[in-house]
Amino acid sequence: MNTYEPHIYELSTPGKHGASLPMLDVPESTLPADLLRQDGLADFPELTEPEVVRHYTRISQRNYSVDTGYYPLGSCTMKWNPKLNEEAARMAGFAAAHPLQDAADAQGALQLIYELQEYLGEIAGFPAVSLQPAAGAHGEFAGILVFRAYHLDRGDHDRVEVLVPTSAHGTNPATAAMTGLKVVEVKGDARGNVDLDDLRAKVSPRTAGMMLTNPNTLGLFDEQIVEICEIVHSVGGLMYGDGANFNAILGIAKPGELGFDFMHYNLHKTFSTPHGGGGPGSGAVGCSAALAPFLPGPVVVKNADGSYALANPEKAIGRMKAFHGNFGMLVRAWTYIRTLGAAGLREVSEMAVLNANYVRVKLKDVYPQAIDRICMHESVLKGQIAGAPKDVRTLDIAKRLIDYGFHPPTIYFPLIVSEALMIEPTETESKQTLDVFIDTMLQIAREAVETPELLHAAPTTAPVRRVDEVRAARQPILRYDREAIARVRSE
Amino acid sequence: MLQAVGVADTADLFVDVPAAKRFPTLNLPAPLSEPELVRELLALSGQNANAHSHTIFLGAGAYNHFVPAAVDQILRRGEFYTAYTPYQPEISQGTLQSIFEYQSLITSLTGMEIANASHYDGATALAEAAIMALNVVRGRRKIVVARNVNPQYRAVLRTYLQALDVTITGDETPGTGVAEALAQVDDQTALVILQSPDFMGQIHDLRGVAEQVQAQGALLCLHFDPIALGLFQTPGQVGADIATAEGQPLGIGLNFGGPYLGIFTTKQKHVHKIAGRIVGITKDVDGQLAYVLTLRAREQDIRRERATSNICTNQALMALASTVYMSLMGKQGMRRVAELCYHRAHYAAAEIAKLPGYRVITPGTFFKEFAVALPRPAAEINAALRSQGIIGGYDLASDEPQLGNAMLLAVTEMTSKADIDRLVGVLGGM
Amino acid sequence: MSYNVPAELRYSKSDEWVRVEGDELVIGITDFAQDQLGDIVYIELPKVGALITPGESFGVIESVKASSDLYAPVGGEVVAVNGDLEASQEPINRDPYGEGWLIRVRPSGAEEELLDAAAYTAFCEERGH
C-alpha cells in the first residue's frame, strides 16, 4: 500500500466524469461571449467516481493518523476524536443550515452556540466568550486587538509593547507584529518559570499586556502565575492566556481565577475536534467582564423570552471571519463536553498529566529532562543519549520512531531547549500503548549507541524516506507541471 | 502508574497550582451516554430549517451547491481527518499530495500561477491579500475596496488592518461599484480589491483593469466565485496579481457558516511574501518523488515577530473536500454546474420580472445570484415564503437601504424549475 | 569548529563582512553566518541605487529552517548587486567571501561599530562555537 500513487492529472482520460448532475429543465439563456473563459478548463482532470475514490483512498493510506496509531506529539494534543462528534456535526440541521437564515429558523444552532459559550466560560472562569475565531492563532489575533481596543478606549495610547516569554509559540510574537506592537522577550528561570526579576524589569507604562501559556511550553505549570499576573496588572497591562495547553487543567484551575484577562481555547486540541491534517481548527476566546464589550462578534445572546439571537458586543473589534465561527467544530466540542460533564473533564486532565509523568519518569534517566520537575500534560526531554556518537541528533531519534510505527514527538521546540523532544501522551492512550512506546524509546537509545547507522538511515519503512527539503525550496514546484516533475525524476 | 511516578494520588500531581485556586467546581450539565446525547443533538438539529428540509434561495456568501456523496466518504477516512499537520513528510504523503493536488486544481481553475494550502475562509483570505500587498508594495498605505465587495468581507478587512497605519477607502458611498473604486486609485495605493460576481451578483468585464491598476504601481486583488469559473473569465486571464475566493461552493456544506475554505492565489514572483502553508515536490534519499511543506521560512514558527501573518493552521480537510469535488466534477462537470446555475438563475429572474411590482435590479450580466426590487419589505415576503417551506432571499435593507425593499436571490444547480415556479407563485400572490 | 575569518575584512555583530575595494565597499555574510543558517534557499537584495542605513535591514536571507534579516554594516548607495544569487544561492554557502558576495556600496561614511578579524573570531566563540 506504500507504493507511489500518480498525481490526479496523470490518471485522467478524456471524456470521463465522476458526478451525476441534473438535466437542464429551463430554457437556455444567452451567454455573454466576451465574458467567458477561453481555455475550456483544458487542464482539468477527467475521472470516474471509482477512479477518484480509489485514488484518494490510496493516498490516505500514505498518512499516519490518530485512527491508525499513537502520536506522542507535544503541544499538539493528538487525543482520540470521538466518532459521535462526527455524526453530530453531520446532522442536517447543523450541516445544511445557512448562516444567514432567520434566527427563528436557527434556534437549535444558536442554542448550541450559546451553551458552548456558557460551558467554555465556566470551564476557564470567564464571564464572556466569543466563538468567532477559526483557530488558535486567530483567537490570539482577536485577543491582542481586544487589548489594544481596551487601552485606546481608556485614552491610553502609549501601550505599544507585548511581553512574550522566550519559550513561547511562534504565533505569539507573530500576533504582536500583526497588531503593530513590539515584542519584548522575558526570560525563564532555572525552574522553567517566568523569571520574575526580568519581568519586573520589563513591565512599564508601555506594556499593553503579556502573552503566556500556562502550563508553559516546557510542560510545567508556572507556580508564580498569580504574582506574574499581579506584576503585569500593576503597570496597567493585561494578561493573555494562550490556551494551547488548557487540556492539562480542566477542573484543576480556572485561568480567569488565576488572573488572566483573556484566553483562547483550541477546540481542536483540548475539546477533541479532529486536526484534519492541519485544520480546520477553532479558536474560541473568553475574557473578563472589563474586556467583554470588545469581543469579536457576533456572539449569541439569550432573550428574555428564552429565544436566542445573534448580537454584537457594544465596542466589538469587528468580525474575525465571515459568519459565526467554525460552527461544525463547535458542534463537536459541545458534544465532547456533554459526553464528559464536570467530573469527566477533570479526569481528562488528571489522566493526561498522569500519563505524561509516567512516560517522563520511565525515560528521563536515558533522555535527560530539560527541567527535572513533575510535569503537566507533556514533558520536554533531550535527545542527548549518553555514549551515543555526537552526530546522533534528536531528528534521528524522531525518524527512527517512525520505523517502529509511532509518530515522532515534537522536536526542537521550545527553542530554549537544545535537542528538545516534547512528549504529550494525552489521556486517551492506555498504559499498554505507553509501555510499548517507552520500550521503543529505550530500544532506540540502545541503538543510538550500538548501531547509530539505523537512526541515520531512518525511516526505512514509511511510504517515503527522508526528503530533500533544500531542493524543494530552491526550485519550487508548487503545482502540477509534467516537465518539471520529469526533471526531478531524472536528476 | 502512580507508584512509578512517585505520588500517592493524582491530586498530588497538581501541587504547583496555587492551593487556593486548585480544583474549582465546574458547573456543567451531567454527562450523557451516546444514545441520550444523540437524542439531544437531534432535537437541537431538528429546530433548524435547512437546505435538506426546505427549498432555499439564500446566498450572500454561502451557497447550497451539490456535494457528491463520495466527497464525505473520503473526508471520513480517519487517515485524513485524524491526521496532524504534515510536518513529518515521510508519514504524511497523503495529506501533502492532496494539498499539492488542491494547489494544482486551483491554479488550473483560476489561471493563476500559484495557490497556497488555504486560509480560514474567503473573507480572511482577502484580508491576508491586503497584508501581502502592503509588504509587496512597500511604503504605500492605502487599500481601495469596491462597495460591491461582500460587506462581511469588507468588515473582516477592517478588523485585520485596524492596528496598522492603513487607510481603507472606496466603499463609502452606497450604490457605487468598480468604476468609483478605480477612480480612488493613486500613487499611495497598494491594493485594489474587486469582486466578480460582486455582492449583487453582477459579473464584471475586467479586461484592462489590471493594467490600469498596475500602471499606478498598485496590485489588483480579484475575489471570485469558483463555480462561476466553470464558464467565465478567470482572474489569471484578466491579469490579477492576487485572486481569492470562498471555496465553500466546491463540495463543502453550508455548516451554518463554517468550516469553509479560503482560496488564495497569486503570481509566482510573490511566493516568498504569501502567508500560510504551501506544498512542493522533491525527492527522498532513494530518489523517489515526494511531497513536502516548503518555503517554510515565511511562517510564524520560524519568523516569529518578523512574520507578516500568524496563521498556523490551514483548512486542510476542507481543501481536501474541494479537491475531491473538483476531481469528480472534472472538466465537464465544472462547466455543467456553472451552466445550470446560470440558466436557472436567468429563468428565475425572467419569471420574477414578469410579476407586477418586482424588478431585477442587478445591472449587466449576473451569474447565479441577482437582486430584486420588491413591492413589500423583504421580511414580509420571506415570512410568506417560509410558510410555504421556502427559505427566501437575503434582505438588503441593512446593507443597501437606498434600494428600498430589495433582496438577493441565489439559484444553483440544486434549484429545480419546479422550485423556481413555486417561488414565483408565492411572490406573485403577495 | 573553527570558521574562516579573513584578516583583511571588518565584521558586524550581525555577521556581515565588509571589504574595501577602491572607493567602494563590498558586503556579504560570514562563514559563521552561512554555517548557522544551513543551506540557503532564498535571498532578497535591494535594487541598485537603493540607500542603506547602518544597522537597518537591507534584505532577507532564508534557509529551510531559518529566516534572517540582513543588516547594513555601513551606510551608502547600492552600486551593484550579486544578481547570480537570485537563481542559485549555493555560492553563499560555498564561498561566502568570494562568489557569495551580496552587494557593493558607495559609502556615505556612516558605519555600525565594526570588529576586526580577531575580535569577530572571539565574538563567534562567545556564542558557543
Side-chain angles (χ1 to χ4, degrees), chain A residues 118-431:
Chain A
E118 295 286 301
Y119 301 161
L120 293 176
E122 171 65 15
I123 295 166
F126 292 115
V129 169
S130 169
L131 305 180
Q132 259 261 315
H138 211 209
E140 285 182 36
F141 186 29
I144 301 304
L145 288 176
V146 165
F147 281 16
R148 182 179 171 275
Y150 168 82
H151 291 311
L152 290 179
D153 188 61
R154 291 157 45 94
D156 206 347
H157 294 276
D158 300 325
R159 297 193 179 268
V160 294
E161 293 176 355
V162 177
L163 305 175
V164 176
T166 49
S167 59
H169 296 113
T171 50
N172 294 173
T175 299
M178 274 182 100
T179 50
L181 300 175
K182 187 167 163 277
V183 176
V184 176
E185 289 206 324
V186 181
K187 282 188 286 208
D189 69 12
R191 280 184 61 76
N193 298 327
V194 169
D195 183 326
L196 292 186
D197 291 333
D198 195 45
L199 178 62
R200 284 193 194 94
K202 283 174 178 162
V203 294
S204 79
R206 293 185 305 282
T207 305
M210 179 174 195
M211 300 181 83
L212 188 66
T213 312
N214 193 25
N216 64 25
T217 58
L218 289 161
L220 305 173
F221 191 92
D222 196 313
E223 305 136 297
Q224 307 173 123
I225 184 61
V226 174
E227 286 121 297
I228 292 168
C229 294
E230 282 169 5
I231 292 168
V232 173
H233 287 152
S234 73
V235 297
L238 297 165
M239 280 302 293
Y240 183 94
D242 179 329
N245 296 339
F246 189 47
N247 56 309
I249 57 168
L250 303 169
I252 309 295
K254 294 185 178 184
E257 293 180 358
L258 294 172
F260 285 98
D261 302 288
F262 195 104
M263 186 183 101
H264 79 254
Y265 310 71
N266 298 90
L267 299 188
H268 51 286
K269 296 182 182 179
T270 304
F271 296 97
S272 84
T273 79
H275 281 68
S282 183
V285 291
C287 70
S288 65
L291 297 182
F294 302 93
L295 277 178
V299 296
V300 174
V301 294
K302 193 171 183 176
N303 296 322
D305 65 359
S307 65
Y308 299 91
L310 292 165
N312 268 313
E314 186 196 342
K315 298 172 181 174
I317 53 165
R319 55 165 61 251
M320 298 300 298
K321 66 182 286 297
F323 311 123
H324 329 309
N326 275 345
F327 179 75
M329 300 297 116
L330 308 183
V331 175
R332 291 170 172 90
W334 183 97
T335 305
Y336 181 73
I337 292 170
R338 291 299 304 271
T339 301
L340 290 167
L345 288 174
R346 176 167 162 181
E347 201 184 335
V348 161
S349 291
E350 288 177 341
M351 289 305 115
V353 171
L354 179 60
N355 280 352
N357 277 289
Y358 180 70
V359 173
R360 177 183 68 87
V361 297
K362 293 282 186 182
L363 291 180
K364 70 175 180 153
D365 291 342
V366 176
Y367 296 92
Q369 192 179 357
I371 290 173
D372 197 354
R373 273 173 61 181
I374 285 186
C375 67
M376 291 286 111
H377 62 297
E378 65 196 8
S379 63
V380 178
L381 309 179
K382 297 185 186 190
Q384 292 165 338
I385 298 156
K390 272 217 159 116
D391 63 353
V392 172
R393 307 276 318 270
T394 295
L395 180 71
D396 302 310
I397 296 162
K399 296 300 185 193
R400 184 63 177 151
L401 270 169
I402 294 174
D403 282 337
Y404 285 102
F406 292 107
H407 193 282
T410 297
I411 54 175
Y412 302 114
F413 185 82
L415 305 178
I416 54 168
V417 176
S418 58
E419 300 296 316
L421 199 57
M422 189 192 229
I423 300 174
E424 176 174 12
T426 83
E427 73 283 1
T428 56
E429 297 299 334
S430 66
K431 179 172 179 296

Side-chain angles (χ1 to χ4, degrees), chain B residues 272-273 296-297 302-303 306, chain C residues 42 44 62 66-69:
Chain B
H272 291 276
K273 301 287 184 198
R296 293 257 300 114
I302 293 177
R303 207 170 264 226
R306 293 167 48 254
Chain C
Y42 174 66
E44 195 179 297
E62 291 180 359
S67 165
S68 178
D69 278 322

